[in-house]
Every structure is written in structure tokens, then in C-alpha cells.
Amino acid sequence: MDSANPISALLDAWIPGHGPAQLVFLFLSALIAGLARGFSGFGGALIFVPLAGAAVGPKIAPALLLVIDGVTTLGMVPDGWKRANRREVGTMLIGTLIGVPAGTTLLAVIDPTALRWLISVVVLFLLVFLISGWRYHGKPKTPLTIGVGALAGLFGGAAQLSGPPVVAYWLGGAIPPLTVRANLILYFALSTVISATAYIVGHLLTLDVLALALIAGPGYGLGVLAGSKLFGFASEGTFRRICFMLIAMAAIVSLPLFDALRP
């Protein structure tokens, strides 16, 4: 080991190809994403995926988020299973089973630089969608539920950005709020299993991802915990606006155009 820089040598042996500055950037990205996720319940993926993609690569970032978010939210699954409308969740998952492999294929074959541009554009599009506040106010219909699941699966397989379509569909008021929350918890848990399977088959869930999860995971977990504690110190509207701003900044800062300004 090089005694002049033992930390860099250790990191290069453990996680080759990722320098200390990149790993610090990754940790901070996870921390900020976790803060948004913990306070408002949304925005974590929209912040983390573009920033982490810029630091460690756009093919690694979605799989990395899959691991750290899946582990962080695992404890919520039993209650979600008890309270959810499992038939409705199952119907949504039919579409997800179609969408995830398609999204995973895109993630595997698209050129990394083109993929980063695409992720940033999709994040900005989803941000506008969230800001608009649009919700589906009708009763869930089987063909539409499957279609939303397919779209969510496509976004989820390609970049773990499945949340906005599902949230907009189920939060329109036709389903009781407690059931909606349980549906979302159970859906995202089971869609994580589908995505993990697709990523393993596509050789995207690698040992490199698991090693990086040991760096990003604590930051994300601390962010989620701090965000949940901050819930009582600011209005939801104020924090939502902060989240929207962070999402926009993440999408812009992560563009390949600004690579020279980042570690």
C-alpha cells in the first residue's frame, strides 16, 4: 500500500475506479436524497439517480438506489402487507412485470453519456409533472392500472424513477389515504424484487454496486432519519418547494455538460 496516500490505495483496492472525491460526492448525494425522502416521502430517486449517475456512472446509480432504498424501507413492508389492497397492487404489478424488463434493457444498452442526458431530461419532465399537482380522480380500472404499472416499470427498470406515475394514479382521492400509503409501500417493495431480478439477469446488480452501497447507504439512512425528524419544523409546502428546487438542481448539475465542475 502506498504510505503517502493509504486511504486512496485502500479505496482503489476495495472499490476500483472510484476516487475519494467521487465517493464523498456520492455520500452527500445520498444524504440529500434521503432528507427529501424522509421528510416528504418523495424526491429521493429524482435527486439521487442523476447525481450518483454523474459520480459513479448511470448504469450503477439505479441499481445502487435499488439496494439502499430497499434495505432502508424493508421494515415498512409487514404493515403495508396487512393494510394494502393486495388485489389492486397485484394488478399494478402485472404491468410492472412488462415494463421493468424493457426499462432494464434500455439501461443496459444505451451509451452511458446518452443515458445521463436521458435521465436528466426524464427527471425534469417528472418534476414538472409533480409541480403541476395533477392526480387521477377516477376509480381504478384494471386496464388503466396495468398501463400505469407498465409505465412505472419502464421508468423503474431504466432509472428507478417509478414513483410519480403510481403516486399520481393512486393519490387522486378515490382510495382511502391509509390504503394508498399501504398500497405504495407494498407495490414499491414488490417492484424492487422484480427490478432486482431483472438487474441480476442483466448483470447490473454487481459486487461493485454492493460495495458502493456501503458508502451511500449510511448517508441515505441518515438523511431519511433526519428528514423524518425535521417534519415538525417546517411546513409541508415549504419543504416540498425545497425538494422541487433540489430535484431541478440535481438534474441540471448532473448533466455531462458540467463534468469538469464535479469530482
Side-chain angles (χ1 to χ4, degrees), residues 175-261:
I175 303 175
L178 287 177
T179 303
V180 170
R181 181 178 182 276
N183 282 1
L184 291 171
I185 290 169
L186 184 59
Y187 170 77
F188 289 129
L190 295 177
S191 66
T192 292
V193 175
I194 296 170
S195 291
T197 302
Y199 282 13
I200 291 171
V201 171
H203 305 291
L204 294 167
L205 193 54
T206 63
L207 290 177
D208 191 25
V209 170
L210 297 180
L212 288 168
L214 297 177
I215 301 292
Y220 192 76
L222 285 171
V224 170
L225 180 63
S228 62
K229 297 292 185 184
L230 286 171
F231 187 78
F233 292 94
S235 70
E236 183 178 355
T238 297
F239 207 90
R240 285 177 71 87
R241 286 191 289 273
I242 293 173
C243 286
F244 290 149
M245 180 183 69
L246 289 173
I247 292 168
M249 290 175 62
I252 294 169
V253 168
S254 63
L255 287 170
L257 196 65
F258 301 109
D259 278 355
L261 304 179

Side-chain angles (χ1 to χ4, degrees), residues 67-207:
V67 173
I68 63 176
D69 190 69
V71 171
T72 303
T73 59
L74 193 60
M76 302 166 67
V77 175
D79 186 63
W81 175 265
K82 288 190 296 185
R83 298 176 183 273
N85 181 333
R86 293 194 287 270
R87 181 173 180 176
E88 181 70 14
V89 173
T91 303
M92 181 79 75
L93 288 169
I94 293 172
T96 303
L97 284 167
I98 299 168
V100 165
T104 303
T105 300
L106 287 175
L107 178 61
V109 302
I110 293 180
D111 172 76
T113 301
L115 182 59
R116 285 177 54 199
W117 280 100
L118 180 61
I119 287 173
S120 290
V121 169
V122 170
V123 166
L124 289 171
F125 169 77
L126 292 175
L127 174 60
V128 172
F129 179 69
L130 287 171
I131 292 173
S132 74
W134 184 88
R135 297 288 185 267
Y136 172 74
H137 294 289
K139 291 183 178 181
K141 298 178 177 63
T142 297
L144 188 55
T145 301
I146 293 173
V148 172
L151 180 62
L154 179 66
F155 286 166
Q160 291 304 299
L161 300 175
S162 58
V166 180
V167 170
Y169 182 63
W170 273 340
L171 277 184
I175 303 175
L178 287 177
T179 303
V180 170
R181 181 178 182 276
N183 282 1
L184 291 171
I185 290 169
L186 184 59
Y187 170 77
F188 289 129
L190 295 177
S191 66
T192 292
V193 175
I194 296 170
S195 291
T197 302
Y199 282 13
I200 291 171
V201 171
H203 305 291
L204 294 167
L205 193 54
T206 63
L207 290 177

